[in-house]
Amino acid sequence: DAGVIQSPRHEVTEMGQEVTLRCKPISGHDYLFWYRQTMMRGLELLIYFNNNVPIDDSGMPEDRFSAKMPNASFSTLKIQPSEPRDSAVYFCASSFLVPYEQFFGPGTRLTVL
Amino acid sequence: KNEVEQSPQNLTAQEGEFITINCSYSVGISALHWLQQHPGGGIVSLFMLSSGKKKHGRLIATINIQEKHSSLHITASHPRDSAVYICAVIPSKEGGSEKLVFGKGTKLTVNP
């Protein structure tokens, strides 16, 4: 199994631009999580899905952030418009049945200038 | 106050030393995770436990539910153990969601 796949691995953009991060979970996993990691705040959960349905999006910072999971094998996290304070590493993780043993993707390092 | 507190924040050891990283939490939980993040950034789940003790190679994780405390021990430490170790809990699901709450991490450096 290829594990959780994220793309792009690095993204540099200018303030105001739209950014789309992509995630392919491990096949057969029914939970998908989006996390953000910064030096100041550490790892934070943004949103998670169960069977493609968003369960808890209370960690999404504001309306500029949105996430979708159109099918079991693909999810996107979109930031529009992006701001410098969104610069962070964004991780996607997936798990099977219960949201305990999570498998993390390699992360996307986002820099907003 | 963070729901999950780790100590120490930074730890430097010599190769071969026995290492302990601590995690305290303030809420009722259904499970606790220990994660490892290497300098390259990848995150790996080491243990998930809800009681007692688990062992994998040179790593041992213990949890005391009554005291709301967990420890991660590394025996015969090696430079390749250098990483950030993160404690995360899943609060008891009493109407709450099943999301991990993370500590800030402990950065371990093992010198040869």
Side-chain angles (χ1 to χ4, degrees):
Chain A
D1 198 322
V4 177
I5 298 172
Q6 290 187 247
S7 65
R9 294 293 306 275
H10 301 272
E11 175 82 27
V12 180
T13 190
E14 291 187 344
M15 183 173 64
Q17 296 298 306
E18 177 180 294
V19 175
T20 299
L21 311 181
R22 296 173 176 80
C23 175
K24 177 178 168 54
I26 292 173
S27 177
H29 282 189
D30 57 351
Y31 283 86
L32 184 139
F33 305 81
W34 281 102
Y35 295 100
R36 179 173 67 177
Q37 186 178 40
T38 60
M39 289 291 292
M40 290 295 296
R41 300 171 68 91
L43 269 168
E44 302 174 283
L45 176 71
L46 299 176
I47 185 172
Y48 79 94
F49 296 83
N50 178 218
N51 291 321
N52 313 337
V53 176
I55 302 300
D56 187 335
D57 65 354
S58 58
M60 297 285 264
E62 47 199 272
D63 292 345
R64 298 184 298 106
F65 284 69
S66 63
K68 294 182 179 179
M69 192 165 186
N71 57 63
S73 60
F74 183 66
S75 177
T76 59
L77 177 68
K78 186 176 294 186
I79 308 172
Q80 166 65 15
S82 58
E83 297 183 2
R85 61 193 167 116
D86 301 329
S87 298
V89 180
Y90 291 81
F91 288 97
C92 175
S94 70
S95 66
F96 176 61
L97 284 180
V98 292
Y100 289 171
E101 186 128 28
Q102 297 184 19
F103 294 82
F104 285 77
T108 295
R109 182 173 296 277
L110 173 65
T111 303
V112 183
L113 303 174
Chain B
K1 184 182 185 300
N2 291 333
E3 289 178 303
V4 181
E5 296 279 355
Q6 285 186 239
S7 63
Q9 287 187 331
N10 292 282
L11 179 58
T12 300
Q14 288 300 123
E15 183 173 356
E17 287 184 359
F18 180 84
I19 288 163
T20 296
I21 299 170
N22 296 299
C23 175
S24 296
Y25 51 91
S26 57
V27 297
I29 68 168
S30 49
L32 181 144
H33 260 265
W34 280 102
L35 307 170
Q36 180 191 55
Q37 185 169 28
H38 274 281
I43 297 175
V44 175
S45 175
L46 297 174
F47 295 103
M48 191 277 292
L49 65 166
S50 54
S51 65
K53 179 169 81 172
K54 286 192 176 180
K55 185 176 188 294
H56 184 256
R58 294 180 294 106
L59 301 177
I60 304 167
T62 63
I63 188 168
N64 185 317
I65 296 294
Q66 287 73 31
E67 295 185 3
K68 292 186 167 60
H69 181 267
S70 175
S71 293
L72 177 68
H73 305 286
I74 305 175
T75 61
S77 60
H78 190 276
R80 65 175 175 266
D81 297 325
S82 298
V84 175
Y85 292 85
I86 302 169
C87 172
V89 302
I90 300 175
S92 298
K93 194 183 175 189
E94 292 144 2
S97 69
E98 303 154 300
K99 57 185 183 183
L100 287 173
V101 179
F102 296 90
K104 291 288 178 66
T106 295
K107 183 176 181 181
L108 171 66
T109 303
V110 182
N111 294 317

